[in-house]
Each structure stands twice: as structure tokens, then as C-alpha cells.
Amino acid sequence: MESWPPGGSGPAEAGRRLRGLHGADLAASASLLSGAGAEAGCSAPAVAAVLPAGGSGERMGVPTPKQFCPILERPLISYTLQALERVSWIKDIVVAVTGENMEAMKYIIQRYQHKGISLVESGVTRHRSIFNGLKALAEDQPNCRLSKPEVVIIHDAVRPFVEEDVLFKVVTAAKEHGCSDYDLEFGTECLHLALKYCHIKAKLIEGSPDLWKVTYKRDLYAAESIIKERISQQICVVMDTKEDEEHVGHRLKEMLKNELNHVKVTSGRDLQQIILEQCYNFVCVNVMTSDFEETQKLLNMLEESNLSILYPVVVISVQFLDYESVPFGQKMGNLMQIREFAKEVKKTNILLYGLLVYYPQDEQKLQESLRQGATIIAALIKERNSGLIGQLLVA
Amino acid sequence: MESWPPGGSGPAEAGRRLRGLHGADLAASASLLSGAGAEAGCSAPAVAAVLPAGGSGERMGVPTPKQFCPILERPLISYTLQALERVSWIKDIVVAVTGENMEAMKYIIQRYQHKGISLVESGVTRHRSIFNGLKALAEDQPNCRLSKPEVVIIHDAVRPFVEEDVLFKVVTAAKEHGCSDYDLEFGTECLHLALKYCHIKAKLIEGSPDLWKVTYKRDLYAAESIIKERISQQICVVMDTKEDEEHVGHRLKEMLKNELNHVKVTSGRDLQQIILEQCYNFVCVNVMTSDFEETQKLLNMLEESNLSILYPVVVISVQFLDYESVPFGQKMGNLMQIREFAKEVKKTNILLYGLLVYYPQDEQKLQESLRQGATIIAALIKERNSGLIGQLLVA
């Protein structure tokens, strides 16, 4: 009841810890389960969601059904589950999958730590699948942890960008108008069909273009770009408090502001909080050249936090060096250790890169190398290219 | 007349030099200009195209009208023009743009060397714009180089992936059925409208999902990914014929076959031909470490060829070095020259990167470093990240 009705705003892909939201999407629909949970009162109806996910993905032109196609190495359906999970007032989520994909789905739930998900077998049509999902929610089965909801949201497994405010509108409309599960997917035509054949007054809820359906291969590309863009907005610069380094680190930070929307700085004390707020990009400024101690600390903290379960986390370990006066051949061996670290942390979905920033006496040259450093950092963050991990880039 | 009816197959984005095609798209439509050019005979009708491009791009959520939004730094409409230009039997292309965008459009035509394009001012609606385009084609104006066509294809400026075979079907249908310009965009509903209000028998031509309209920001993302994918299929490995280097170069080539579809090798003699066939990715294997002579030759050839006018060309300069026995600190200064080269050739849309491949005596280690080299090359080609040019990557 704590967040009903929902409000506020925050990062769209914020996940389970953050409840805020912004933007608006469309194309969930809701059914009233007659007689179920009506006693829950009007301020907080008992809401569940059913996701038909039995499709074969013929139009995609790829062998994997589209709901299981990977985006940044994570299956599409996991993003949709994440979007529904972060809505605190959705109590149960039922996913209908084919018997063939049941084990894969169980693995996805376990691997990405989805909570409150039940699985049922899908039917031969989308409507049969929805029916199976509703049945699981409606039946008072003895060993079933599902509670009878008042409203059930029917949501396509391949619409990953659904937002809480649209779901809220759908549920409110279901309570007020008694929506059918036909109403939202095909616009006005279906509103008439619902009225004609089912004598149900369907209501159209306006959404936003973000709530489109992943249908073709190009939609996977688009979804990947959208997700990359969302998790690349914010970067945290971790640096210690020693005078001199702080100076150049702060200047790097200022340069980064030209490339990225939100740049934070921490000496490490509030790092735990920043991780909780789901920042997926870190620059670690190391005091001593060829010293990865700071980076190592950050990596340990990230690994413990499980932040990288849902998205690849980018860490860029920055060293400053006047490599024109100090030939960096000797230091190179040390710096190249980053390749081994990178291989190791890749296993936990952390993408580690090294960046050596030229730090000359000449002010203008320094300015230029800092600018190039910021460009490289932004490029690494925006692309999240796992083929380039462990590389030592030079600005 | 030489390629009517069209046939054969080849790279979809092959551009002006290649006539072959594959795949199929939809959503061009055609109008008959009564009495015009009927004398051209049935085997090769005189065909022109009109592109309404006066839209403001409100739905995109960006200030630039969508037809001018950049994809790999080139405006979307230039891709559409390229797709129509490569169809040899389309004799004239008329683009309708707002007075405000007239100069920008002229610049685009000049910058990307589009040929046979005429500009007219757009109207307040899409249909007015089409009308203005048709008028320019129909009128026998004294100083006008346009010839009266028999069939006019109406094609959206924001559908960049149109293929020759669909255009062929549209033109054939126009000749046989007398299509209206309403027929193809909204499917069966519009076929009825055309019949009801215009007494015109419209015919639906089947296309493919590739011919979708760039409407939202996500469509730009998708278009960019599709274009990147298309130009990343083929790579050419340039290496000299000295025994030892050829050996390891060939092994690198074999590794690349695991990552990319088409891998070619040349000693340089048939490079001109490979450039003509529009390969946009090159690996240059340098014999002498810290010697960029081969790379320099390749870069000169590419600059002369104008290959990079339409797409960014990736060049990866590869050096082999046993840097565990020979500390590469000394060579580093030389190798870092690549940054200056990269900055220079970026001006002509060539993205230059360096790659140092560890070349130890140990067979297994060599195998591993070649594998990593191939991964890095594939990553660079697929992303085409201009933020990382001039970097010396290490495998």
C-alpha cells in the first residue's frame, strides 16, 4: 500500500531498489477476476500480472524465440520481469512458457534473481496461455502460494519498457470500467470487437511510443541501444583525497561533464550508497602509477554488491603519467596486469579497461590529454564492448 | 535498358557501382503520369522518383527533422538517395524539401556526391509536396533537365532500406494496373479507400519488414545497427609476401573467419579491385615493427578512392612482436605515431586503430594471442567507435 498511487520520478531502468519512475508507455491490458480480492479496498487493489511468453518468434528471423533473445547478454524477458518487479503493488507475476522452455525460464529466474514469479505451461494460442495464467491465479490450490488478485494485468513478455504509471492507469481503468484483455493491443478496432462480441466496455489507455513490441531483429538492436543509453547517463569518479591527484582528477571530472549527463565524485566513503543508487559506470583514479590498489578495492566492493547481475558494469582504471619525460616502458609490465584483472572480473559481468592519461607540465597539452581522456571514457561507457576489456588506452 | 528487368544478387548496401541486390522491402508507391513517355516501350519504362521530405519530425523527440538525423554522421536522407541511385533504371529523383532546409539539402547532395537529384519546395502537406515533385517532372520547362517519365515512384525519404526488386514490382504494377499513390502505405484499408473515393484499382505489392519507416528515436538506433552490420560483413587482410610474416598473417586471417563472414587476403595488387567492390574494413599486417609504410600506402589508396565518402572505413594496423623478450618500451614512441596518423585520416572518414599482437615462441600462447587479436579486430569493426581512433590495442 506504501506506494499506491505511485508518483515521483527517477531513472527509468532503476530496477528493484528504486521505486520512482518517469516517462510513460502503453500496451499492457488488465482483466477483472470476478469476486477475487474485492475486499482489499479501493485504495490498493490486489494486482497480479500474467505474461504470455509461449511465442516462437518466427518474424524475428533468428532461431531463438524473441523473448529469450539476449540484450547485453541477458534475455529480453528478464528486462520485462524487471520492469514489472519494480512496481511494488504488483504482488504476483505468472509467466506462461512452453514445456520446452520451462527449464530455461527457471534458469533465467534464478540467474537474474527475479522474485515472486510463478511459471505455468503456455497454451497453443496466446489466449490459451493467458487463460492458463489466470487459472493459476484464480484457483485456490492447496500448495499454491499465489493469492487471488482483484485485477490481473496481461502484459506481453516482449515489451520490456513498460512504466509504472501506465500500469497504474490500466489497473485503475480495469477497476472502474471492467476492461477485457482485448482492449489495448489493437486500438479502437478492438474496442469495437470487445463491445460487439463480448458485451464488454473496453477502455483505451493512452501510453507512449516507448512501449513498443520487440518483433523484428531491428527491434532487438533498438532495445539494446535504449538500454545502453539509459545505463550510461551516470558516472562516478572514485579518487583519494591527496592534493595533487585530486586536482587533476577533478579536472578530468569537469571534462567528463561535457560528455555525460551525471558525473559524481567520491573519495570512497559514500561508494556503497552510490552503488545502491545503481550507477553502472566508474572511473577509478589511481594515485600511484602502476598501482591498482584503489581499483582492486572498487572491484571487490562491486562484486560483493551484486550490482552487475542485471547490467554489465564498466570500470575504467585511470593512471596519470608524464610519459614523455618518464619513458613508460618499465611501468608497462605492471600496467599490463590489468588484462588479467579484466579477464577475472568479466566472469561477474564487470567490464574493466585501463586508461593512461598523459600528464605533462605544459598546461595546454594537459588540457588536451584530459579532453581526450574524457572522450575515451565516454566511448567505452556508451559502447560497453566486451571485446576490448583489459586494454590499456592512452590519452 | 541494360538492367531491366533487374536480377542477380549482391551486397544490399552495395551502392552506385554494384547493380546486384538481394532481399525485398516495401512501401514505395507509384503513379502513372498520363501520356508521358509511353513511347519508351514496355521493356524499359521511363521511371523517376519523388521523395517528399518536408516533414518536421515531431514524433522523433529531437529538434532535427528525422530525414536529416545523422546515422554514422551522415543524414538519413542520403541513405535513401543512395538506395534509389543504385537502381540504374530510375532516371531522375526529385526531392521536395522546405525552403528552410533547401541549402542543407544542397550541401548533402554535394558532400555525398549524389547524382541526378532535383530539388523542389515542399508543400504544407505530404500530398502537396508530392504534387510539386510531379509537377516538376510533368512540366516541359525550358531550362529543366528533367525528362517526362512514364512511371513515378513516390518514396518516403525516411525509408532508407528500399531494395531494387520491390521498386521493380511497384513499377511493373503501376504499368499494368495504374496504381495510385495511396496504395501501398496502409495496406488493404487504403486499397478500399482508393477504390471508393478515387475509382482507382490499387494493387498491393508485398514487401519485406526491412522497409520500415524511421519514425522514432529507436528507429534511428535500429537503422544505425543495421547499417553497421551490413558494412561489417567483409574484411580484407593486406599483407606482403615474405614467408614468415605471411605465415602468422594467414593464421590471423583464419582466426578472423570465426568472427566475420567474409575474409579476403591480398598482397596489395588487387587492392584497387577490392576497394571497387566496396569492402569497408581493412587489416594491414606490417612486416617491420614500428614501420607504418604498408599502412601508409593503404591509407593513401583509400583516400584517393573516395571509398569513405559514404561510410566510415576501418583500418587496423597490425604489428607482431614478442614483447616479453623484446621490451617494447623503446618501440613505443614509434608505434605511438599512429595517433597522429589517425587524427589526420579521420578528416576523410577513415577510422585508424593500431593492434600489437604478442608473438611468442610458445605455440599455445601464440594461438591465444591470435585469437584475442581476432576478437579485438571484430569488436573495432562492428562498433566503428570514433572515440577510440589512434589507440594501440594489445592482444
Side-chain angles (χ1 to χ4, degrees), chain A residues 26 65 85 88 110 116 149 179 191-192 228 239 260 297 340:
Chain A
L26 167 74
E85 268 178 337
S88 61
Q110 179 252 315
C179 290
L191 298 186
H192 289 140
K228 275 183 178 174
M239 55 180 152
L260 299 158
K297 263 198 267 177
E340 299 309 315

Side-chain angles (χ1 to χ4, degrees), chain B residues 238 271 282 284 294-302 315:
Chain B
V238 187
L271 199 52
F282 296 87
C284 189
E294 298 294 322
T295 306
Q296 200 66 60
K297 262 196 270 177
L298 173 63
L299 292 173
N300 290 344
M301 219 180 219
L302 288 172
V315 176

Side-chain angles (χ1 to χ4, degrees), chain A residues 49 51 81 84-85 90-95 115-118:
Chain A
L51 272 75
L81 289 177
L84 293 174
E85 268 178 337
I90 296 180
K91 301 302 180 195
D92 290 303
I93 299 170
V94 182
V95 182
K115 303 274 183 279
I117 316 286
S118 304

Side-chain angles (χ1 to χ4, degrees), chain B residues 76-93:
Chain B
L76 179 61
I77 193 168
S78 168
Y79 291 90
T80 313
L81 289 176
Q82 182 191 354
L84 294 174
E85 267 178 337
R86 69 167 187 244
V87 180
S88 59
W89 43 266
I90 295 179
K91 301 301 178 195
D92 290 303
I93 300 171

Side-chain angles (χ1 to χ4, degrees), chain A residues 221 229 372 383 391 394, chain B residues 221 229 339 383 391 394:
Chain A
Y221 289 143
E229 195 190 33
Q372 224 211 314
E383 298 288 3
Q391 291 298 322
V394 180
Chain B
Y221 290 144
E229 195 190 33
R339 299 176 65 186
E383 299 287 3
Q391 291 297 322
V394 180

Side-chain angles (χ1 to χ4, degrees), chain B residues 201-217:
Chain B
K201 273 191 300 177
K203 181 172 157 52
L204 188 70
I205 308 289
E206 194 149 347
S208 90
D210 287 352
L211 189 53
W212 96 107
K213 193 170 170 174
V214 172
T215 308
Y216 301 108
K217 201 175 169 189

